[in-house]
Amino acid sequence: MLKLDKYSFGIGDRFGRQAPFQLRSFQQLQSHGISVTPVWNKSNREHSLIGSEPPQVLQSARDAVLEAGWSGKWHIDADHIRQTTVDRFLEVSDFFTIDVAESIGKPAGIESIDSFVRRHTEFENGIDVPGISVPIQISPEGVRAIAREYLSAVQEAGRTFRYIAERKELGSFIVEVSMDETEEPQTPAQLLVILAALADEGVPVQTIAPKFSGRFNKGIDFVGNLDQFDTEFRDDLAVIAFAVEQFGLPDNLKLSVHSGSDKFSLYPIIREGLRDSGKGIHLKTAGTTWLEELIGLCEAGDDGADFVKAIYRDAFSHRDDLCLPYANVLDIDIARLPTPNDFEGWPSHRLARIIRHDPVCEEYNPHVRQLLHVAFKLAAKRADRFAQLSTAHREIIGSQVTTNLFDRHLKPLFLG
């Protein structure tokens, strides 16, 4: 089996131009004695929105590895795929995030549910999971209820995994199962039953992405109860460790946090949880790099700032259409968005401060940041100009990318 390292970090690069500068941040972390594996992730939806293809992600990663002199492992993630969308990723990806959210709540066959309940009699008298905050007690009816909610989704993961395995060498790819894009978080009992069902399906899952309580909005910090996240995170770590032993899942199975970017307040909690448990983590950052490209263009001055102003004007005018696909992970107060005329009248360095995620800066505007986060497809409509500016201001933009990824993400998560 192709094994994912203990620490891995999913990085988005919407336009495939910043991979060398992303790798610089991982090299900086290596200089502190911490090895983290970069995983470039791009979903079918993102490819469709900007007209890119999966081979471009692989090529940009290969070029970056050569340019940066990266000697560690790296992977290409077919992010949030299903069986109906995986084909275009098969040749170039070695990491597959199987998204089963749409199948949660769909009824599985009665016979399948009955068989699962009969097979897992270990749940009948409660499960003693070391390190969990509240003991797990699941009656046979409770197991049945969880199976009704999740068994169909797990079966979908099994079908998708087997579809991939029939078309790629079994030891040539990594499997993640994602159920984070749902309304309700999974309880420890539900996660345990889900992992049992994945083992039954023969899915060699190495990382699982559950839903946590709170808001994981795009491009801004976590909104919710930090103590509750701490409890949920540690409980999930404990459940995963137990499930590995109980159900024979891969021994490197670890928790995945799909952050939506920039969940800075969670990093100390995650770091301490990993320290106390000795476990690994996979964390995805989504579209942070695209925003750093915009910040870099602002810092570059007139021509770069003019491009950002044009993007903002277009985004402001089409905000409803841009936000609709991400409605459950955005909280934009329209009244807090400056008018395009106001935005265009401000100096370029002020625009950078407005977009940059620096909560102590009085000019930082999370509403502008969220809108621009989902406006990346507007740059694709200006692809030639964006490419020209990105090339002309490559080092300024790249500096923003490296600094952001190391100082705001990797360093607080792994070094403190």
Side-chain angles (χ1 to χ4, degrees), residues 252-401:
N252 66 327
L253 173 62
K254 60 183 180 178
L255 196 58
S256 180
V257 179
H258 290 194
S259 73
S261 303
D262 293 11
K263 301 303 176 280
F264 300 151
S265 62
L266 299 184
Y267 289 169
I269 295 171
I270 294 173
R271 185 181 68 249
E272 292 176 9
L274 298 181
R275 180 200 62 200
D276 294 344
S277 67
K279 302 303 180 184
I281 188 73
H282 181 65
L283 190 139
K284 293 189 181 183
T285 60
T288 291
T289 296
W290 150 246
L291 291 170
E292 295 306 315
E293 288 175 305
L294 294 182
I295 293 167
L297 288 175
C298 290
E299 294 286 11
D302 293 341
D303 57 349
D306 287 344
F307 181 86
V308 177
K309 291 173 183 179
I311 292 291
Y312 182 77
R313 177 173 286 276
D314 202 357
F316 188 90
S317 299
H318 297 91
R319 58 187 181 274
D320 291 342
D321 290 338
L322 290 172
C323 295
L324 183 60
Y326 303 94
N328 64 337
V329 285
L330 293 173
D331 280 323
I332 298 176
D333 183 352
I334 303 302
R336 300 287 300 279
L337 292 175
T339 68
N341 287 341
D342 285 342
F343 194 85
E344 290 170 5
W346 293 329
S348 59
H349 292 299
R350 181 179 181 184
L351 299 183
R353 292 192 295 272
I354 288 170
I355 302 169
R356 184 180 292 115
H357 192 171
D358 180 3
V360 302
C361 176
E362 293 182 356
E363 291 180 301
Y364 164 59
N365 188 320
H367 308 281
V368 170
R369 184 173 171 85
Q370 287 178 87
L371 178 60
L372 289 174
H373 192 290
V374 298
F376 58 91
K377 74 174 184 178
L378 301 179
K381 296 179 180 180
R382 303 167 171 84
D384 290 344
R385 182 59 176 157
F386 184 54
Q388 291 170 356
L389 291 168
S390 297
T391 300
H393 304 298
R394 185 173 187 266
E395 289 299 323
I396 296 175
I397 294 171
S399 176
Q400 301 296 322
V401 171

Side-chain angles (χ1 to χ4, degrees), residues 183-205:
E183 291 297 324
E184 297 296 329
Q186 291 82 38
T187 66
Q190 288 171 335
L191 181 59
L192 188 59
V193 171
I194 289 165
L195 290 171
L198 284 169
D200 289 352
E201 283 285 325
V203 178
V205 57

Side-chain angles (χ1 to χ4, degrees), residues 9-46:
F9 203 89
I11 42 178
D13 187 12
R14 296 284 195 256
F15 297 97
R17 307 183 67 88
Q18 304 307 324
F21 301 102
Q22 292 171 321
L23 281 180
R24 286 183 188 177
S25 64
F26 289 88
Q27 290 171 318
Q28 288 181 17
L29 191 64
Q30 275 187 332
S31 71
H32 291 271
I34 304 293
S35 178
V36 176
T37 299
V39 181
W40 280 279
N41 47 261
K42 195 168 185 179
S43 69
N44 187 66
R45 177 170 63 184
E46 290 162 7

